[in-house]
Amino acid sequence: MYEEYAVVMKGIVKRFPGVLANDHVDLFVRKGEIHAIVGENGAGKSTLMNQLYGLLHPDEGEIYVFGKKVDMKGPRDAIRNGIGMVHQHFMLVGNLTVAENVVLGSETTKGGFVFDLREARKRVKELSEKYGLHVDVDAKIEDIPVGMQQRVEIIKTLYRGAEILIFDEPTAVLTPQETEELFEVMRRLKAAGKTMIFISHKLNEVMEISDNITVMRLGKVTANLITKETNPREIARAMVGRDVVLRVEKPPHEPKDVVFEIENLWVKDNRGLDAVRGVSFKVRAGEIVGIAGVAGNGQSELVEAITGLRKIEKGKVTLLNRDITGLDPRSLRNMRMTHIPEDRLKYGMVLQYPAYYNMILGKHWWEPYSIRGFLNHPAIFEDSKKLFEEFDVRPRNINMLGGNFSGGNQQKIVVAREVSSQPKFIVVAQPTRGLDVGAIEFIHKTILKLREQDVAILLVSMELEEVFSLSDRILVMYEGEIMGEVKPEETNFEEVGLMMAGKRLEEVRS
Amino acid sequence: MEKYWGFIIPAVSVIVALVIAAFVIMAVGKSPIEAYAIMVKGAFGSSAAIVNTIVKTTPLILTGLAVGFGFRAGVFNIGAEGQMIMGALTATAVGINLGWAPPYFALSLTIIAGMLAGAGWAAIAGYLKAKTGAHEVVTTIMLNWIATYLSSYMVQVPLAVGSGTPKSPEIAPSAKLPILMKVGPMEMSAGIIISVIAAIVMYVLLEKTTTGYEVKAAGFNPYAAEYGGISISKNVTMSMAISGALAGLAGVVELMGVHHRFLGTLSGGKGFDGISIALIGQNHPIGIIFAALLMGALRTGSNEMQFAGISKHIVMIIQGIVIFLVAADRIVRTMILWRKRKKVKA
């Protein structure tokens, strides 16, 4: 049965307490194709793949690999059936070399006992040359870039004899150039007859690399599409269940007085080097100032310094005509500065706290949440429920622990909390990283609503598209300095791209 | 189910530990049933036994609370022993000079002095961590030794009295805790009430107050706490101080309720027992009361077992296995879930 398919999953049902993660899902993957699985966060993609990789066992349904019915009890069974997984978070040992990492767990040996490094190096080299996966076999993992680490992961699966490779959101950690290199590798693997399953929610990537697309929503398959015959709009509709605006409409809005200002700000990074070097700008009420730049050019340090999380070496920060240089986060919050942090897991949430406690983090000492030093639980519950409704956080369970929500819903909790604190000035860093189209649309609309309410907004994002569609003014940051200020309607990607690479506006325009 | 793990895991661990220890008792040629019967009788068999168990339990509750509070706040206070010594020592210095004072005044002053001393001693480690990043495990161990030798000097030179074992004079009668019950030579002081009140106060502090919210947030995720306007350095110092105050109180009740004078053996490792008790009690105030009671009962019962010719070190085996299983809670989870799954299949 199903001989022409590499993978067939039929009628898969997987339940978790209170959630139907996979509801009679069918998946057909042809031999030698690149098959994309797309869907919102929490749609059940990862659950489905974890069952194919033997990490979870389906409650109902059957799995066929190359026409043979299989019952997998763990990843070992999956590997034996020729299935390999390239994880989103790499499973590599930092202080071992590439070759050592590849063979780890099934080492080449001399006489069945002694580890044979020479043989391991030889085999890794063979694989890397055969599929054009350029790696340095003797380099330590911690010394090589992320893109190469990912190639090591791919070689690892091939070394174990994988014919079917599952890529779990492989591009989330890559730069655009590295993504292009990955796609090149995938094309080469395809030419060599490998089958690939590609999980993503970046629609342009899916359009570029896949042959067929399975769209999931709320645990069910909502569409099976042929890539050549579809378009991003159709995929987005199947993902979200309604028409999605891929780029929000920004109505004209006149900014008011200056709310926030920094002058000649200098900040050091964790290694003690200057990360922000003499940055100055103003943000007015009802205005979105966007900061564009390649990751690691001082944006994180800038945000942390502004929000009181990092020491300011030199310079002056003013909020509502008051000098706030060096104030702690608590005082800044009392002055109605709020912050959507770029790393919601590290800064934005206490994962072990229930959602209702996460909803008050950073205003927990305010009335009505705290009265004479005691928490006012009824008020906390009531406001959390209200915000869950207003921001459509799913599931609607304020008692669930923060860590048990999907990424998109965690972000909604953070956004709901920061937006509902009646900010005068809000710092928004990477608000849509890792989110799906539906959630992105929602968060963009929320930010624009704040602009209409005359909040001053500083937006920091690596997504150029996002900076362009939301900002009133764009500042481009490179190596801790501002390369220039442009208005989105008076510039283009190319001009901003050149500034991101270190050219000043004067040089670009001369 | 998830909600009840905190209770199920220690309970199952205790049962498993008793079963394993039973085999050890059999291996040395004794009857485990008989041994356990003697132990239970020794701990709860008479009013004298019960009083004895409660007296042993009282300071253990407080040191358990001290360490447990630290864990909730994300600090590992391994220095409860030293803080207990400093609490008792300071309470002694105050208590022996209060002959003139009425009981309510003498009692409260002595208790507060002891708690402040414990708090201050622990706060040193907290402050060092906040300001310099010095790890509290290292600094509290160092402070333990300082406390040990300081107390030993105090009872040998400035506060010394009599001959033989170094000891301080007795504290004023008005500074002794009232006796609730007296069975033969055994006296149960109001210390047990103080311990239970301390547990309730800690529960309310952690679960109902804004301070508790901040302490736990800092313990779970210091980055998010700092982002949310919670000062980590302030919290570390304060959490250590609260933890130390509880440990100091353990020394105070031991002094004012049992020995009435400072002896070198007064703390006797109870501060370190607090670590095991916090672990078994899952850092929950109520759980800690029961864990301390278990430990107190095992200690009392083991003395009786000794008379029946079974080494009291069996108790150490039981204690060790319980801690092992609670710490490696996955083992117990797997055992329970495995049994459940087998039942479902059958």
Side-chain angles (χ1 to χ4, degrees), chain B residues 131-171:
Chain B
K131 287 294 156 211
T132 70
H135 201 282
E136 71 275 15
V137 166
V138 176
T139 50
T140 52
I141 289 176
M142 289 159 85
L143 287 165
N144 278 347
W145 289 108
I146 299 174
T148 304
Y149 287 113
L150 180 66
S151 70
S152 145
Y153 166 77
M154 291 302 281
V155 291
Q156 284 180 60
V157 185
L159 292 177
V161 70
S163 56
T165 334
K167 54 183 176 290
S168 77
E170 273 212 359
I171 53 172

Side-chain angles (χ1 to χ4, degrees), chain B residues 10-191:
Chain B
V12 172
S13 303
V14 170
I15 294 166
V16 173
L18 288 174
V19 172
I20 296 175
F23 284 108
V24 178
I25 297 171
M26 274 197 305
V28 297
K30 306 278 178 183
S31 153
I33 296 172
E34 202 182 317
Y36 286 156
I38 293 169
M39 197 162 79
V40 171
K41 204 165 142 247
F44 301 107
S46 63
S47 43
I50 292 173
V51 165
N52 199 355
T53 300
I54 290 176
V55 168
K56 281 210 164 56
T57 303
T58 303
L60 296 179
I61 294 176
L62 290 165
T63 55
L65 292 176
V67 180
F69 186 86
F71 277 134
R72 294 292 284 271
V75 290
F76 188 2
N77 180 10
I78 215 168
E81 186 81 8
Q83 293 139 23
M84 189 178 167
I85 292 171
M86 292 309 287
L89 193 63
T90 308
T92 307
V94 173
I96 54 180
N97 292 311
L98 285 176
W100 51 272
Y104 65 89
F105 184 73
L107 284 173
S108 33
L109 191 65
T110 316
I111 291 174
I112 289 168
M115 287 179 78
L116 282 179
W121 203 244
I124 296 173
Y127 182 79
L128 287 174
K129 180 172 188 168
K131 287 294 156 211
T132 70
H135 201 282
E136 71 275 15
V137 166
V138 176
T139 50
T140 52
I141 289 176
M142 289 159 85
L143 287 165
N144 278 347
W145 289 108
I146 299 174
T148 304
Y149 287 113
L150 180 66
S151 70
S152 145
Y153 166 77
M154 291 302 281
V155 291
Q156 284 180 60
V157 185
L159 292 177
V161 70
S163 56
T165 334
K167 54 183 176 290
S168 77
E170 273 212 359
I171 53 172
S174 56
K176 290 180 184 172
L177 285 176
I179 303 300
L180 299 179
M181 201 169 145
K182 197 170 158 75
V183 183
M186 297 303 308
E187 287 176 345
M188 183 175 81
S189 76

Side-chain angles (χ1 to χ4, degrees), chain A residues 330 339 353 357 364 370 375, chain B residues 208 210 213-214 221 227 229:
Chain A
R330 200 182 191 99
H339 173 201
Y353 263 166
Y357 272 175
H364 55 269
S370 171
L375 291 174
Chain B
K208 305 289 174 203
T210 316
Y213 176 92
E214 300 201 339
N221 182 350
Y227 156 90

Side-chain angles (χ1 to χ4, degrees), chain A residues 309 329-330 333 339-341 345-353 357-358 360-365 370-371 373-375 377 414 417-418, chain B residues 2 72 204-231 234-235 345:
Chain A
L309 293 166
R330 200 182 191 99
R333 284 184 174 275
H339 173 201
I340 297 171
L345 296 180
K346 189 174 171 190
Y347 286 104
M349 298 197 99
V350 177
L351 300 179
Q352 299 91 334
Y353 263 166
Y357 272 175
N358 275 301
I360 60 165
L361 182 67
K363 48 182 161 177
H364 55 269
W365 66 89
S370 171
I371 294 174
F374 281 84
L375 291 174
H377 281 104
V414 174
R417 179 184 69 214
E418 300 303 313
Chain B
E2 201 55 37
R72 294 292 284 271
V204 173
L205 180 70
L206 279 175
E207 305 300 332
K208 305 289 174 203
T209 70
T210 316
T211 306
Y213 176 92
E214 300 201 339
V215 162
K216 286 187 293 179
F220 284 135
N221 182 350
Y223 297 102
E226 185 115 61
Y227 156 90
I230 299 164
S231 160
K234 194 186 113 199
N235 243 279
K345 272 193 181 162

